[in-house]
Amino acid sequence: MAASLSSIGNVRVLSALAWSSSLCSFSGSRGLHVTVSCCKNRAARIRVGKGDKPVTYEQAHHPHHIGHRKGWLSQHTSNLKGEDGAAERTVEDVFIRRFMFGTFHGCLANEIVIKRRGNLLNVCAVMLQKLPPQKFYFLIGYTESLLSHFYKCPVKLEIQTLQDKIVYKYL
Amino acid sequence: FIGARYHFSFHLIRLQSCSKAASRGQTFKKQNRRKVNNKDRNREGPASLSVCSGHRKCNITRFHLPLTPSTSFHTTVLTSAAQSAITVTEEPDTLFQKLVVLVKGHDRAVLDSYEFFATMTAKELGISLGKVFEPPKDIERLTLLKSIHIFKKHRVQYEMRTHYRCIELHHITGCTAQVYLEYIQRNLPEGVAMEVTKTAMEKVPDHILEPMWKEIPTDDKPSQ
C-alpha cells in the first residue's frame, strides 16, 4: 500500500526542505519531513483506468457499499454479537474459494457465495459454459464429496451457467 | 383401483390457546391432551397449518372412515403409516407464560421478512402474540493500521453491525411451542441467529397454598 515511497499510485511525497526554508525564520528547525499524505484505500477495488477493462457489478462497487448496494458473499452467524467461531469460518471460506477457483479453473464468472444453514454448507457459484456438461457434473460431485469429507458436514453446490461474464461497466 | 378398498384417516391437529387455565397457574389433566411425536409433526407440519387456521382447541382427533369404491368421495388418501407415529401420553403438558424469540442478523431487510413470516405463522396457528419490536442495533468498531509497516497516523476503520428483532408470545403450551419453534427454526435464513427464552409456569406447591396461622389457631407461633 503506502509502504514504499517509490510506489506509483497516489502517493505524493512532501519534502519539507522547501517548507523549512520558507518558515525557518521563526522556527529555526531544519529537516527533511517526508509524509505520505494521500493514502487512499486500495482494498477490493479496481482502479479507474483507460476504459478498456470489463468489470462485473461485484468488482465495480467498493467495500463500503456492502449492505447498501452489494450483498454479502459469505453468510454465517459467527460475526454477530455474542457468537463465536469467526476465525474458523473465515479460514474455511478462504480454502473453499481457492479450491473452487482451482477446480473450475477459468470457468468462474463471478465470486463464490457461501451460505451456512445449521450444519449445511451451501456453495453457490455462477460458471461459464467452457466445459462439456459431463465434466461439470463430475467436478461438482467430486467437489461436494471431497469438501464434505474434509469439513465433516454436508456440502451442497449450486451452480448456474452463463455464456459470458456479465459486464457492468468498463474501467 | 376398482375393487380396492380404500381406507383413509383424517388428521385434524388444532392448536390451543390455553389462556384461562394458564392464568390460574394450574396444570392440565385433560384426557384429550396428546403429545405429537417427532415424525408425525415433521410430516404433518405444513399440512396442518392449512387445515387449522382459525381453530382454537387443542385436540388431535382421528376418524377412520372405511369407504367402498362405489362412493364418489374424492379426497387425498393419507398414508396409514402416519397414524402409528402419534403417541398418546396422559402426563400434563408444560405451560409457558412467555416465549421470547430474539433473532440477530447483519441485514435488516432479512430480519424484516423473517419477522413477517414468524408473526404470520403465529397468527395462523392461533398463538397469542405479545410485543414485536426492534431492540437498538449494536455496532462493533475496529480501528486498525492501514499499512503493514510504520505509518501509524494512517488507520482504517471497520464496523460490524448486529440488528435485532424480538417476538414475544404469551400463554403457550409445550406442544404448541415445540411445533412453532421447530417450524420457525427450520426456516431460519442463513446469517441469522436466534435465541429463545421460555418462561414456564408451575403449579403452586400444596404446602404453601394455605397460610399456617389459619390451620392451627390454638398453637403458639414459634417463629412469630
Side-chain angles (χ1 to χ4, degrees):
Chain A
M1 285 222 287
S4 62
L5 292 176
S6 57
S7 64
I8 324 162
N10 288 320
V11 169
R12 274 187 259 131
V13 171
L14 270 185
S15 86
L17 266 180
W19 242 174
S20 53
S21 57
S22 56
L23 291 177
C24 76
S25 48
F26 47 87
S27 65
S29 64
R30 244 191 275 168
L32 181 66
H33 299 273
V34 172
T35 22
V36 180
S37 60
C38 179
C39 237
K40 295 225 176 103
N41 283 328
R42 302 196 69 98
R45 282 155 227 258
I46 296 189
R47 298 266 141 188
V48 175
K50 299 262 180 192
D52 53 352
K53 227 181 337 183
V55 135
T56 59
Y57 186 87
E58 188 73 39
Q59 291 164 334
H61 286 86
H62 297 163
H64 60 265
H65 289 130
I66 291 176
H68 305 276
R69 298 185 205 172
K70 272 166 89 163
W72 282 266
L73 284 180
S74 162
Q75 289 166 0
H76 55 273
T77 57
S78 48
N79 279 324
L80 293 169
K81 184 148 190 170
E83 310 282 338
D84 51 356
E88 287 94 22
R89 305 291 97 74
T90 317
V91 169
E92 285 170 19
D93 283 355
V94 169
F95 177 80
I96 291 169
R97 281 174 212 280
R98 289 195 185 190
F99 185 85
M100 296 289 290
F101 182 72
T103 323
F104 298 92
H105 189 82
C107 295
L108 289 178
N110 209 344
E111 295 285 340
I112 289 158
V113 174
I114 301 177
K115 299 185 191 182
R116 281 184 181 81
R117 248 201 193 183
N119 203 17
L120 179 69
L121 193 62
N122 222 334
V123 181
C124 315
V126 183
M127 308 257 176
L128 301 171
Q129 289 161 2
K130 276 195 174 171
L131 298 173
Q134 292 84 11
K135 292 199 181 173
F136 257 123
Y137 289 136
F138 169 74
L139 285 177
I140 289 170
Y142 155 81
T143 315
E144 280 188 0
S145 46
L146 200 72
L147 286 178
S148 50
H149 278 281
F150 193 63
Y151 287 123
K152 308 282 183 283
C153 66
V155 175
K156 264 200 220 169
L157 225 62
E158 275 160 35
I159 308 281
Q160 287 181 336
T161 48
L162 289 176
Q163 289 284 342
D164 299 304
K165 275 194 192 185
I166 306 273
V167 178
Y168 177 66
K169 60 183 185 184
Y170 290 92
L171 285 183
Chain B
F1 256 129
I2 300 168
R5 213 188 140 212
Y6 36 116
H7 170 98
F8 67 89
S9 46
F10 256 124
H11 292 261
L12 290 176
I13 303 174
R14 287 173 286 174
L15 296 166
Q16 179 183 28
S17 66
C18 54
S19 41
K20 276 190 220 161
S23 53
R24 269 184 270 132
Q26 286 172 4
T27 50
F28 262 92
K29 286 177 280 180
K30 296 297 255 178
Q31 291 82 3
N32 290 341
R33 182 62 33 80
R34 277 144 207 231
K35 277 213 172 142
V36 185
N37 201 7
N38 264 326
K39 256 190 286 180
D40 182 71
R41 192 173 44 242
N42 288 353
R43 196 111 42 97
E44 293 297 326
S48 67
L49 282 179
S50 56
V51 164
C52 67
S53 56
H55 292 289
R56 292 203 137 231
K57 290 223 186 98
C58 180
N59 262 320
I60 301 167
T61 46
R62 285 163 18 222
F63 304 105
H64 292 279
L65 300 170
L67 287 183
T68 52
S70 56
T71 56
S72 56
F73 231 104
H74 290 287
T75 32
T76 49
V77 179
L78 296 175
T79 52
S80 50
Q83 315 164 2
S84 51
I86 298 179
T87 51
V88 177
T89 42
E90 293 305 322
E91 61 184 61
D93 204 358
T94 42
L95 300 173
F96 295 114
Q97 193 176 48
K98 207 162 68 160
L99 193 76
V100 178
V101 175
L102 177 75
V103 268
K104 310 189 262 195
H106 287 301
D107 200 352
R108 243 187 115 205
V110 167
L111 291 180
D112 282 339
S113 79
Y114 189 72
E115 172 210 318
F116 174 71
F117 160 75
T119 45
M120 193 171 72
T121 315
K123 268 184 230 153
E124 292 294 321
L125 291 178
I127 301 172
S128 50
L129 269 179
K131 294 186 286 178
V132 178
F133 63 101
E134 187 183 355
K137 63 178 186 274
D138 275 323
I139 305 180
E140 192 188 327
R141 291 195 178 98
L142 303 168
T143 310
L144 307 171
L145 295 172
K146 195 190 274 191
S147 168
I148 50 171
H149 181 59
I150 53 173
F151 302 114
K152 190 66 176 248
K153 291 185 199 171
H154 302 91
R155 315 255 181 145
V156 82
Q157 288 184 318
Y158 297 108
E159 65 180 28
M160 287 183 277
R161 294 183 183 178
T162 308
H163 299 272
Y164 299 99
R165 213 45 78 96
C166 196
I167 300 166
E168 285 183 17
L169 309 167
H170 293 297
H171 304 311
I172 191 170
T173 52
C175 296
T176 319
Q178 242 177 335
V179 171
Y180 179 76
L181 285 176
E182 177 152 354
Y183 184 60
I184 290 288
Q185 283 159 11
R186 272 173 194 267
N187 290 303
L188 202 63
E190 46 281 314
V192 169
M194 189 193 322
E195 281 175 7
V196 176
T197 317
K198 296 180 187 173
T199 312
M201 289 197 295
E202 282 183 0
K203 191 170 186 300
V204 175
D206 289 329
H207 62 273
I208 61 172
L209 270 178
E210 292 295 322
M212 268 174 57
W213 52 84
K214 279 199 185 161
E215 287 164 2
I216 328 151
T218 51
D219 281 8
D220 299 326
K221 285 163 267 194
S223 58
Q224 169 78 30

